Amino acid sequence: MDKKDLSIFTGRKGEFGTVDYVLFSLAFVASAAIGFYHAYRDRNKRKAEDFHLGGRKMHPIPVSLSLSATFLSSLTLLGTPSEVYTNGTMFYWIVLAMVIAIAAAAHIFVPVFYRLNITSCFQYFEMRFGKVARFITSILFMIQTLVYMGFVLYAPSLALEAVTGVSLWGSMIGTAAICTLYTTLGGMKTVIWTDSLQFSIMVAGLLAVIIEGSKYANGFENAWNIANENGRIEFLEFSPDPKTRHSVWTVAIGGSFFWLYLYAVNQAQVQRVCSLPTLRKAKIAMWLNLVGLILIVTLTCMIGVVIYAVYQSCHPVTAGLINRSDQLLPLFVMDTLGKVPGLAGVFIACVFSGGLSTISSGLNAMSAVVQEDYLKPIANACKSKLFAKYGIVISKILVVVMGFIQFGFAVLISKFTGLIVQFSYSLYSITAGPIFGLFVAGMIFPWTNEIGAVAGFIVSLAFMCWLGLGKLIESPKGPSFPLPTYTYGCNNSLYTTTTLLPTSMATNMTTIMMNTDEPVLYDFYRISYQWYTGLGMIIAVFVAVLVSFLTGYTRADTIDSRLMCPIFDTMFPCLPESIRKPLRFGVVYGKEDKYAADHNKEGLDNNVFADDHNPNTKDGLDINAYADENNSSTNL
């Protein structure tokens, strides 16, 4: 870059003007307005199902936008450009992981939840294994969600305060209050429609950054060339070593387990797909959502390339202008968009829209879980009709309570930034594996019994906590290190000039560090975070099935087939029946299940589970009938 390009290094915080504040505030006002609209429109509805599932009358397009916005939080918007800046473009293989996850979730897991007609996905565990499995998994989900939402609320606010001067506590309180308000007012309908609005704001903000930022890099093509010359453009790292931070296998395969957890068995996702009137529309929404995911990930990766091209000769963290790499994007925005009135406000609205969508979805999901998994069983045991009369009121009260609790978690995180913030960032992946593994053990392996399920969950959770805490406390070096950064272009007195080692010398020093005497466990702690969910899932399934066989496995022909997924029929429908039959592991699909009455304790309507299968099929399973989304029983 020539000298005129270095004028971007102002050495001061960008200024957030009146127009920026107005546009930023409008995003919050619009979200609240949607909540008031749906609260007024649905003022006569009293069923909790209307609050948590939108009356099962939602449209696939807003649901798909909501799915994209929910699982691409403000952490994604801030973290992905920083990841590309620091470690290169290998992270973009996450797109393949998303494709794998959406395909498996839409056609293997979603049909099971949709046909069960349940509000909380953890109801499945009681139907399959018993109350203990349901209780321990829902508890972990609550902890996982509260900590993650606290981080989503705190981390972006901290990053933006450091660069823009926007009040940390003001933005945290405002975000939490608005989220709680509109989620309480309108429930799932409001969450889905505000997510759709917030997704549009996210795209607009990212496009503004990429367009305006490319001007400072003399065009995106030039930015790409600069990043390529400095080793940031890399797509062909095929190292099979699981310790490699980002390789094709690590990101595309390892990452697919994490995204499969999000889109297959996560409570927020289950509520969304069950808000649609038919299973076919639920699958359409899942696939449409993939377009939004790819768009956001592509834009954030492109922004990372542009940021590196602009700051390539003066790394802002080393120079002392910002404290952490997750502040790179806000700094870049204030140095570029900040000169055009309103554009910085659009970007800040973009970042907070990512946070709003994630937090509102979490509040609604936790409200459903608390009501369905804890309060309703108590009310049913006491033969109380409280929920029949005041179900929606109780749901709204729970949202408010969860809003206060998640804000408390954010405050706690802010007090222990040296440890808890780092831990909470990886907590989601660590805790996702045991929960996902239990769903897999239940839906795919009919022999799993209650003892095996609980044992698999506990062993997997303990193992993953050991891995996560060990890595956090020991912090072993390598084998993947950030790419080199430079400060030779820092010509401002506010920057600290630092001389960096040449890449070859840094590599030699890394080799020396890796060869020093160290505990054997360090190699274990170096496993890439992308494998965490997959590893936890495999351990949970293995232990669950093993313990089940040791303690008296469940007979496949006694399993309620509604709780199982004919995975091989779904994946390989063209295989001969003689091959597919043994791959059903003895489960008889399409028969009338004698356990339906027991499962009806949860208030489920047995008519919903009318036989979807062709009784004339030789072995009781017609896979085309299994996929019939037009069955009248699903048009609720």
Side-chain angles (χ1 to χ4, degrees):
M1 295 177 62
D2 53 40
K3 290 185 178 180
K4 70 181 180 67
D5 294 319
L6 294 178
S7 62
I8 192 172
F9 303 120
T10 59
R12 59 180 174 81
K13 287 184 179 180
E15 296 181 356
F16 208 59
T18 303
V19 178
D20 297 309
Y21 277 110
V22 170
L23 293 176
F24 173 51
S25 301
L26 282 177
F28 284 81
V29 172
S31 297
I34 293 174
F36 280 109
Y37 169 75
H38 284 292
Y40 176 78
R41 185 178 178 182
D42 298 336
R43 62 189 181 280
N44 295 323
K45 294 184 177 179
R46 294 291 180 266
K47 292 183 179 180
E49 181 184 80
D50 293 321
F51 186 81
H52 292 302
L53 300 177
R56 297 181 183 269
K57 296 178 181 179
M58 300 304 299
H59 192 277
I61 292 180
V63 170
S64 67
L65 296 177
S66 177
L67 284 168
S68 298
T70 295
F71 297 127
L72 291 175
S73 68
S74 50
L75 301 181
T76 304
L77 302 181
L78 295 175
T80 303
S82 172
E83 173 63 40
V84 173
Y85 178 101
T86 306
N87 297 297
T89 55
M90 280 302 301
F91 181 78
Y92 191 70
W93 279 97
I94 201 68
V95 167
L96 179 56
M98 292 173 174
V99 173
I100 295 171
I102 295 299
H107 298 283
I108 296 176
F109 294 92
V110 166
V112 176
F113 288 116
Y114 193 90
R115 295 180 191 283
L116 287 176
N117 188 30
I118 55 181
T119 300
S120 167
C121 63
F122 301 104
Q123 290 173 263
Y124 172 87
F125 287 129
E126 181 168 352
M127 299 168 72
R128 179 69 172 86
F129 300 124
K131 295 182 183 296
V132 175
R134 178 179 182 177
F135 177 75
I136 59 177
T137 51
S138 61
I139 283 289
L140 182 61
F141 167 78
M142 295 288 291
I143 297 173
Q144 174 197 67
T145 305
L146 284 169
V147 174
Y148 184 73
M149 287 201 313
F151 190 51
V152 167
L153 180 61
Y154 171 70
S157 300
L158 180 66
L160 292 168
E161 181 196 42
V163 176
T164 66
V166 175
S167 170
L168 168 66
W169 292 105
S171 59
M172 284 178 61
I173 293 172
T175 302
I178 291 295
C179 270
T180 304
L181 174 65
Y182 73 70
T183 306
T184 302
L185 289 172
M188 178 56 72
K189 285 184 180 178
T190 297
V191 171
I192 288 177
W193 282 109
T194 53
D195 283 354
S196 301
L197 169 66
Q198 289 152 8
F199 179 83
S200 303
I201 295 173
M202 289 162 65
V203 172
L206 294 175
L207 285 174
V209 175
I210 193 69
I211 292 171
E212 192 68 22
S214 294
K215 296 178 182 178
Y216 284 85
N218 297 323
F220 184 77
E221 181 179 0
N222 184 57
W224 184 273
N225 292 333
I226 292 173
N228 189 36
E229 291 170 2
N230 288 273
R232 260 61 184 181
I233 308 301
E234 174 61 64
F235 294 103
L236 301 177
E237 173 58 75
F238 286 93
S239 171
D241 187 352
K243 299 190 297 295
T244 303
R245 176 182 173 82
H246 287 160
S247 68
V248 173
W249 314 115
T250 298
V251 181
I253 306 303
S256 66
F257 289 103
F258 175 73
W259 285 94
L260 188 54
Y261 165 77
L262 291 179
Y263 278 95
V265 300
N266 184 272
Q267 172 64 23
Q269 177 272 343
V270 170
Q271 284 183 249
R272 278 160 178 72
V273 297
C274 289
S275 72
L276 290 154
T278 66
L279 178 56
R280 180 173 178 271
K281 290 184 177 181
K283 292 179 179 179
I284 290 173
M286 293 284 285
W287 281 106
L288 288 176
N289 145 80
L290 181 62
V291 177
L293 292 178
I294 294 175
L295 176 61
I296 296 294
V297 172
T298 299
L299 289 175
T300 51
C301 287
M302 291 171 65
I303 289 172
V305 171
V306 172
I307 293 177
Y308 180 79
V310 172
Y311 292 133
Q312 54 110 4
S313 64
C314 188
H315 181 41
V317 176
T318 307
L321 188 58
I322 55 178
N323 299 320
R324 300 190 313 277
S325 59
D326 59 5
Q327 298 170 349
L328 277 168
L329 182 54
L331 172 69
F332 178 73
V333 167
M334 297 310 298
D335 275 339
T336 55
L337 274 67
K339 299 178 182 180
V340 182
L343 287 186
V346 171
F347 167 74
I348 302 303
C350 160
V351 173
F352 276 91
S353 291
L356 287 169
S357 62
T358 301
I359 294 171
S360 61
S361 298
L363 292 176
N364 191 273
M366 288 192 295
S367 170
V369 169
V370 171
Q371 179 167 305
E372 297 294 328
D373 294 342
Y374 303 108
L375 301 184
K376 268 192 176 181
I378 296 174
N380 291 339
C382 299
K383 297 182 180 181
S384 171
K385 296 182 180 180
L386 182 65
F387 284 94
K389 294 182 179 180
Y390 305 106
I392 197 167
V393 175
I394 296 173
S395 298
K396 292 183 176 184
I397 293 174
L398 288 174
V399 169
V400 175
V401 172
M402 291 298 107
F404 277 104
I405 295 175
Q406 69 91 22
F407 184 78
F409 270 81
V411 173
L412 180 65
I413 288 172
S414 71
K415 301 299 182 181
F416 299 94
T417 55
L419 178 63
I420 294 183
V421 167
Q422 299 174 50
F423 178 68
S424 62
Y425 189 80
S426 58
L427 175 68
Y428 212 93
S429 295
I430 292 172
T431 55
I435 297 175
F436 183 38
L438 216 54
F439 277 110
V440 172
M443 293 184 184
I444 309 300
F445 299 92
W447 314 287
T448 310
N449 62 20
E450 180 177 5
I451 298 175
V454 173
F457 176 83
I458 293 175
V459 171
S460 176
L461 180 60
F463 185 89
M464 296 310 299
C465 286
W466 171 34
L467 172 59
L469 287 172
K471 184 170 185 176
L472 182 66
I473 295 171
E474 299 295 342
S475 300
K477 303 297 182 182
S480 300
F481 287 84
L483 295 170
T485 55
Y486 307 98
T487 55
Y488 63 83
C490 298
N491 57 359
N492 190 298
S493 59
L494 292 180
Y495 291 87
T496 302
T497 303
T498 304
T499 302
L500 296 183
L501 294 172
T503 302
S504 59
M505 187 180 299
T507 301
N508 291 335
M509 289 188 66
T510 297
T511 303
I512 294 172
M513 291 172 61
M514 295 293 293
N515 289 333
T516 57
D517 188 24
E518 62 181 15
V520 177
L521 277 177
Y522 274 30
D523 269 348
F524 169 66
Y525 294 145
R526 291 190 181 105
I527 293 175
S528 172
Y529 71 99
Q530 293 282 355
W531 289 109
Y532 284 1
T533 301
L535 181 60
M537 183 272 288
I538 292 171
I539 293 171
V541 171
F542 176 79
V543 174
V545 175
L546 177 62
V547 173
S548 295
F549 274 98
L550 294 175
T551 58
Y553 65 90
T554 301
R555 286 177 49 194
D557 59 356
T558 65
I559 291 288
D560 182 346
S561 63
R562 296 171 295 159
L563 305 175
M564 302 300 298
C565 174
I567 183 171
F568 293 101
D569 286 280
T570 303
M571 295 175 62
F572 309 107
C574 296
L575 287 176
E577 177 62 22
S578 59
I579 296 178
R580 284 187 291 154
K581 181 179 179 180
L583 294 177
R584 294 175 196 138
F585 306 133
V587 178
V588 181
Y589 294 92
K591 69 176 182 178
E592 182 177 356
D593 298 293
K594 63 181 180 180
Y595 300 100
D598 293 334
H599 297 156
N600 199 37
K601 291 177 182 178
E602 292 295 331
L604 304 176
D605 183 357
N606 285 333
N607 292 326
V608 174
F609 307 113
D611 187 4
D612 295 320
H613 313 313
N614 187 342
N616 297 321
T617 302
K618 178 179 179 181
D619 290 290
L621 174 62
D622 181 346
I623 198 64
N624 294 320
Y626 184 83
D628 180 13
E629 292 82 17
N630 297 317
N631 188 308
S632 60
S633 65
T634 62
N635 295 319
L636 304 178

